[in-house]
Amino acid sequence: MTRLQEFDVKNNRLVELPDTIGNLTHLVILNATNNMLRFIPHSIGHLTSLQELCLHSNRLKELPETLRNLKELESLYVGENCLEHLPVGIGSLQQLTEMDVSGCELKNLPDSFCNCSSLTKFWACSNRLTELPAQMGQLTCLKELHVRRNQIRAFPASMARLNLYTFSGMMPAMSIINTYSSMEGDVDPVIGLVNLVNISPFATMKFQPMAGNSQNNLSHHTTILRESTT
């Protein structure tokens, strides 16, 4: 068992993982999605070969700080939990490319989050976020950012350095105007969406759909997903 590489216990009624799970030091994938877990043992920090950790749809209120030891972790899925904060050491996960924290109770992201330098996809929809870290622009590999259904009213100026392909978030038109004063584009005040052309920080953005838009000659677009009204 100690040489096990994949451990899949999803869709059960587990309320805890044994502390001895830390002995599975060759584990590459751990999937405990859709259980009733309330905490994760600190020994998970011993799983230094782990590349994918799936803890979606449980009852977790926090993640152990020992998560910072998972230097090989590439995918972290912890959405649909009761998380109120992320570990301060989350920024130690330099190999992390995908992170899903949607459907939790997060009020903010730690500043260290911006040290996840390999992150390409981040989902944080349906939380209680009021802002994103000021240094979001450090995440230069980020291509997909999903933060709709939060309480964010403006975005940090450092995001000018990002080359997003997909952005999904609550973005009232006036908030953008107030935050980024030099802009050229079409504002729809009814739905609060903006078709941005040559506008920092979201150059080459394109909202879809937007009636009457004929500006389709951009070399590449960032697709902005409209906030659902349902």
Side-chain angles (χ1 to χ4, degrees):
M1 282 287 288
T2 57
R3 301 192 67 83
L4 191 68
Q5 293 190 338
E6 183 171 352
F7 188 41
D8 189 337
V9 291
K10 66 178 179 292
N11 301 329
N12 284 287
R13 302 186 66 185
L14 297 175
V15 296
E16 64 179 12
L17 294 175
D19 192 61
T20 52
I21 197 168
N23 297 332
L24 303 178
T25 54
H26 291 272
L27 208 60
V28 175
I29 299 175
L30 172 57
N31 189 345
T33 294
N34 196 25
N35 278 282
M36 302 170 67
L37 300 175
R38 295 184 179 275
F39 71 94
I40 300 298
H42 290 279
S43 63
I44 198 171
H46 297 154
L47 305 182
T48 53
S49 297
L50 200 64
Q51 296 179 15
E52 182 174 315
L53 178 57
C54 306
L55 299 171
H56 200 279
S57 301
N58 278 283
R59 300 179 181 178
L60 301 173
K61 291 188 175 181
E62 62 180 6
L63 299 173
E65 283 292 339
T66 53
L67 206 67
R68 70 172 66 197
N69 298 329
L70 307 184
K71 305 297 186 183
E72 300 300 316
L73 195 65
E74 298 177 358
S75 303
L76 176 62
Y77 305 113
V78 291
E80 300 298 331
N81 277 287
C82 304
L83 299 174
E84 297 181 354
H85 59 85
L86 294 177
V88 174
I90 195 78
S92 298
L93 304 181
Q94 299 287 303
Q95 301 302 314
L96 197 65
T97 60
E98 296 189 5
M99 186 190 309
D100 183 3
V101 295
S102 295
C104 293
E105 298 292 329
L106 297 176
K107 297 180 180 179
N108 56 62
L109 300 174
D111 289 340
S112 64
F113 167 77
C114 298
N115 295 328
C116 297
S117 55
S118 298
L119 197 65
T120 60
K121 299 179 181 180
F122 180 58
W123 295 269
C125 302
S126 302
N127 276 278
R128 301 172 66 185
L129 298 173
T130 58
E131 62 181 4
L132 296 178
Q135 298 305 317
M136 282 291 290
Q138 293 179 187
L139 300 175
T140 54
C141 292
L142 194 64
K143 300 302 179 186
E144 292 191 22
L145 176 60
H146 303 269
V147 290
R148 68 184 184 277
R149 300 192 186 97
N150 279 282
Q151 301 171 35
I152 301 171
R153 303 295 297 177
F155 297 87
S158 68
M159 288 176 66
R161 296 193 291 270
L162 300 182
N163 185 21
L164 295 175
Y165 291 158
T166 302
F167 177 88
S168 171
M170 189 63 180
M171 195 177 232
M174 291 310 299
S175 293
I176 302 175
I177 294 172
N178 292 336
T179 304
Y180 310 108
S181 56
S182 60
M183 61 186 298
E184 300 172 3
D186 299 320
V187 178
D188 186 329
V190 177
I191 60 176
L193 297 183
V194 183
N195 180 34
L196 305 177
V197 183
N198 299 322
I199 304 169
S200 178
F202 301 113
T204 70
M205 258 189 186
K206 180 187 177 185
F207 287 98
Q208 62 171 207
M210 187 168 183
N213 175 31
S214 60
Q215 296 170 326
N216 294 316
N217 58 345
L218 300 177
S219 59
H220 65 281
H221 300 301
T222 295
T223 301
I224 310 302
L225 305 182
R226 178 178 176 179
E227 179 76 5
S228 174
T229 57
T230 58

